[in-house]
Amino acid sequence: MHIFIKLPWYNGALPNGDRGRRKSRFALYKRPKANGVKPSTVHVISTPQASKAISCKGQHSISYTLSRNQTVVVEYTHDKDTDMFQVGRSTESPIDFVVTDTISGSQNNDEAQVTQSTISRFACRIVCDRSEPYTARIFAAGFDSSKNIFLGEKAAKWKNPDGHMDGLTTNGVLVMHPRGGFTEESQPGVWREISVCGDVYTLRETRSAQQRGKLVESETNVLQDGSLIDLCGATLLWRTADGLFHAPTQKHIEALRQEINAARPQCPVGLNTLAFPSINRKDVVEEKQPWAYLSCGHVHGYHNWGHRSDTEANERECPMCRTVGPYVPLWLGCEAGFYVDAGPPTHAFTPCGHVCSEKSAKYWSQIPLPHGTHAFHAACPFCATQLVGEQNCIKLIFQGPVD
């Protein structure tokens, strides 16, 4: 079993709930019957009618339109040794995992903010070996309901030195493999673009530029534990079965929550006991909820004083050290798959206040996630809020009970 987890996880589920093939995480299991395909016959065609005749044969095919008068059609044949899983925005049956655009910082039913999606309807396909070690490879573009992939005249495409055709999708499929695996020693890797045939390229100058990047022959399209896949509007985290076996679980995260609450942290001013709310109550700020000053990390209960500016409603002065900065409620990061270790929740992302282990916070704080069609910035994996501050996260300072 391998797993996709969509970033952000909205700290529990998608804003409108998990439904059918549209959910916050998607597990890939060995299919009862192999449905993988592999390239076979290549046709060079000079008329649209002939191209249509081949694509209507019921076999999978990829069409590369070179001009009005020339199309290369690559037929694909059944591969008994692989399973294929497809990801995209379309709700049509060939798509196994339906993804929608990420709304930065949203935890509400707010998806109407996306006016025009940049995610492809048939974005990418994952091909998994049916025998151990169950290697998974990613390819740009997915087959539609007619079992076809069409790369039109305007799409970036080319003939490789060995003669086979290849191309890129409009906004591309980007992949980043972490260095050192997805462990407490992990370091961010380099973002690459994956072609329709699974080759690895450096990024284009802009997301949808006609000119492809340079071929990176030393790298492959094999997914690793912790690989990030960006579909230009949604980012997915790939976790392998072995990686998840060694990762913390939801039960572990809940145990950490109970442990920190059992220590009875107190507000240093009000002296009232603070407690992280249960993971099931992740949307409502509760009376005992910890709040923190994100410039210094001091944890308090909620209070309504310390404002330093009428214009910046969230700028407060910490009563412990007089540091001025954002003052926000703290939320425990619920998706265990985002943790690189099983350490205690000691650090908060700024400015959203999601809390996780130190090494997990520092890892995600270093990763430049694609944003829109041009930008990259670090973001909280639990809510996609763009991170700010010197380190993008802060060590929390709790005060124990005064007994």
Side-chain angles (χ1 to χ4, degrees):
M1 178 189 76
H2 300 303
I3 283 184
F4 274 129
I5 308 173
K6 185 178 186 292
L7 273 69
W9 206 58
Y10 298 105
N11 218 24
L14 293 178
N16 290 330
D18 288 354
R19 294 198 301 269
R21 291 170 293 143
R22 186 179 161 279
K23 54 184 75 173
S24 55
R25 52 158 58 203
F26 181 78
L28 281 65
Y29 293 95
K30 188 175 180 178
R31 294 188 185 274
K33 186 179 178 182
N35 74 329
V37 293
K38 56 188 177 183
S40 59
T41 315
V42 179
H43 305 269
V44 180
I45 292 160
S46 56
T47 66
Q49 292 81 3
S51 175
K52 192 172 182 180
I54 290 173
S55 62
C56 289
K57 285 170 61 178
Q59 276 184 283
H60 289 82
S61 67
I62 301 180
S63 300
Y64 302 86
T65 303
L66 305 181
S67 67
R68 284 187 180 181
N69 301 320
Q70 190 176 33
T71 299
V72 176
V73 179
V74 181
E75 285 190 282
Y76 278 64
T77 187
H78 176 67
D79 183 359
K80 63 179 176 53
D81 297 320
T82 62
D83 288 335
M84 182 170 66
F85 301 88
Q86 300 206 141
V87 183
R89 179 171 49 88
S90 173
T91 55
E92 292 179 32
S93 58
I95 295 297
D96 298 287
F97 185 21
V98 179
V99 291
T100 51
D101 294 74
T102 292
I103 305 164
S104 179
S106 172
Q107 285 183 264
N108 305 309
N109 298 348
D110 224 352
E111 290 177 287
Q113 293 177 31
V114 177
T115 53
Q116 188 172 2
S117 176
T118 49
I119 302 172
S120 172
R121 294 174 64 243
F122 303 92
C124 70
R125 59 199 194 278
I126 311 295
V127 177
C128 300
D129 290 347
R130 288 174 61 84
S131 56
E132 291 187 13
Y134 307 113
T135 302
R137 295 174 175 83
I138 184 167
F139 301 81
F143 294 99
D144 63 18
S145 297
S146 302
K147 300 182 179 179
N148 303 133
I149 293 172
F150 293 99
L151 292 179
E153 275 189 72
K154 293 182 179 179
K157 55 194 160 327
W158 60 90
K159 181 180 283 191
N160 281 310
D162 63 2
H164 84 263
M165 294 295 300
D166 203 352
L168 304 173
T169 53
T170 303
N171 287 327
V173 173
L174 309 187
V175 171
M176 189 208 76
H177 304 302
R179 290 184 284 120
F182 199 67
T183 68
E184 56 187 68
E185 306 301 327
S186 292
Q187 292 293 321
V190 179
W191 284 99
R192 303 297 195 196
E193 181 161 11
I194 304 298
S195 72
V196 172
C197 292
D199 284 337
V200 181
Y201 288 85
T202 59
L203 301 189
R204 289 178 263 183
E205 280 195 19
T206 60
R207 192 79 191 232
S208 57
Q210 290 287 304
Q211 184 62 41
R212 68 183 185 272
K214 294 180 180 178
L215 179 67
V216 185
E217 296 189 59
S218 59
E219 298 179 23
T220 73
N221 62 337
V222 174
L223 293 173
Q224 307 166 16
D225 189 39
S227 291
L228 286 168
I229 302 161
D230 187 80
L231 305 177
C232 195
T235 307
L236 309 174
L237 173 67
W238 176 262
R239 296 303 311 266
T240 62
D242 185 61
L244 288 170
F245 180 78
H246 294 96
T249 63
Q250 296 301 126
K251 284 185 178 180
H252 180 80
I253 303 299
E254 173 60 17
L256 289 174
R257 184 188 76 85
Q258 293 182 15
E259 187 178 322
I260 202 168
N261 288 348
R264 294 170 53 219
Q266 284 192 341
C267 174
V269 177
L271 299 181
N272 50 311
T273 301
L274 307 175
F276 280 98
S278 74
I279 289 172
N280 294 328
R281 292 182 59 78
K282 59 192 172 296
D283 295 326
V284 182
V285 177
E286 298 191 349
E287 186 181 353
K288 290 186 174 182
Q289 185 136 358
W291 287 60
Y293 289 88
L294 295 182
S295 292
C296 59
H298 282 112
V299 178
H300 292 252
Y302 177 73
H303 49 250
N304 196 29
W305 37 264
H307 290 281
R308 291 298 301 270
S309 167
D310 293 332
T311 55
E312 290 289 341
N314 203 31
E315 289 286 303
R316 304 279 194 97
E317 180 182 84
C318 173
M320 299 295 289
C321 65
R322 300 298 190 192
T323 303
V324 177
Y327 173 65
V328 300
L330 298 177
W331 305 92
L332 196 61
C334 297
E335 172 48 65
F338 292 155
Y339 285 67
V340 298
D341 70 337
T346 56
H347 284 62
F349 290 109
T350 58
C352 60
H354 279 109
V355 180
C356 62
S357 69
E358 177 182 6
K359 289 186 176 177
S360 298
K362 290 185 175 178
Y363 175 71
W364 288 104
S365 294
Q366 297 176 66
I367 292 184
L369 292 171
H371 179 68
T373 56
H374 301 292
F376 287 80
H377 61 60
C380 171
F382 302 105
C383 68
T385 298
Q386 182 174 347
L387 301 181
V388 298
E390 286 184 30
Q391 305 293 327
N392 291 332
C393 62
I394 187 82
K395 179 178 171 54
L396 298 172
I397 304 169
F398 288 93
Q399 176 168 304
V402 181
D403 292 334

